[in-house]
Amino acid sequence: MIVGIALILSGCGDGGDTGAGDATAANTTQPRALSASTPACPAKVDSLLAALDRLRRQLAVGLSYDQYANAVRALRADYAAIPVDHLAIGCLRTAGSPAERALNRYIDGANAWGECLADAACTTATIEPVLQRQWRVASHFLSEAG
């Protein structure tokens, strides 16, 4: 079961999938500016950023692997709902790309953790630095989007 989750999540990493939605989704989202100097982004982008930030805060408190894997799956679904083909280039540059990079780091962390759990030789001391690095990089990308 753990290996299955790792394999499912591994298809969600840096493979370049844009998660583009259809034109209908783009027409139902209300654009909202991230700040005075950035172009408007749909509410779904703001929602993804908020969900990524929630995960960042939850990691500071601590999560089990199952909680983390479930959070990453939910983030992946939020990402897939964004109509990427209809986002303004400025929104992609200032919010979309950093959010995608942060999500990819969280996915990489879930994969590494799942692989560790499937390996009897892997210990907390082995996996913790790997996870901390992925989460630190994700946090950096998320801060770029904010």
Side-chain angles (χ1 to χ4, degrees):
M1 179 68 166
I2 294 169
V3 175
I5 292 172
L7 292 174
I8 290 169
L9 292 174
S10 67
C12 303
D14 282 329
D17 176 23
T18 61
D22 60 24
T24 306
N27 293 333
T28 61
T29 57
Q30 297 297 319
R32 194 179 114 189
L34 291 174
S35 73
S37 63
T38 60
C41 285
K44 288 182 180 184
V45 173
D46 292 339
S47 294
L48 175 63
L49 290 170
L52 286 162
D53 190 52
R54 258 191 315 280
L55 178 56
R56 176 170 50 180
R57 288 191 317 267
Q58 290 171 337
L59 288 169
V61 176
L63 293 173
S64 70
Y65 172 75
D66 288 336
Q67 291 169 321
Y68 181 69
N70 287 334
V72 169
R73 260 189 235 101
L75 287 168
R76 180 74 173 118
D78 290 346
Y79 172 80
I82 295 173
V84 177
D85 289 344
H86 301 284
L87 294 180
I89 194 74
C91 177
L92 284 170
R93 188 182 78 251
T94 60
S97 291
E100 180 179 39
R101 289 182 183 121
L103 174 59
N104 287 337
R105 295 295 73 79
Y106 286 134
I107 290 168
D108 290 346
N111 290 334
W113 198 352
E115 290 169 11
C116 179
L117 291 173
D119 181 359
C122 187
T123 65
T124 301
T126 305
I127 192 61
E128 189 168 345
V130 173
L131 294 175
Q132 291 297 326
R133 178 167 175 11
Q134 293 295 341
W135 297 340
R136 187 173 46 253
V137 173
S139 181
H140 168 76
F141 285 130
L142 187 53
S143 294
E144 284 183 5

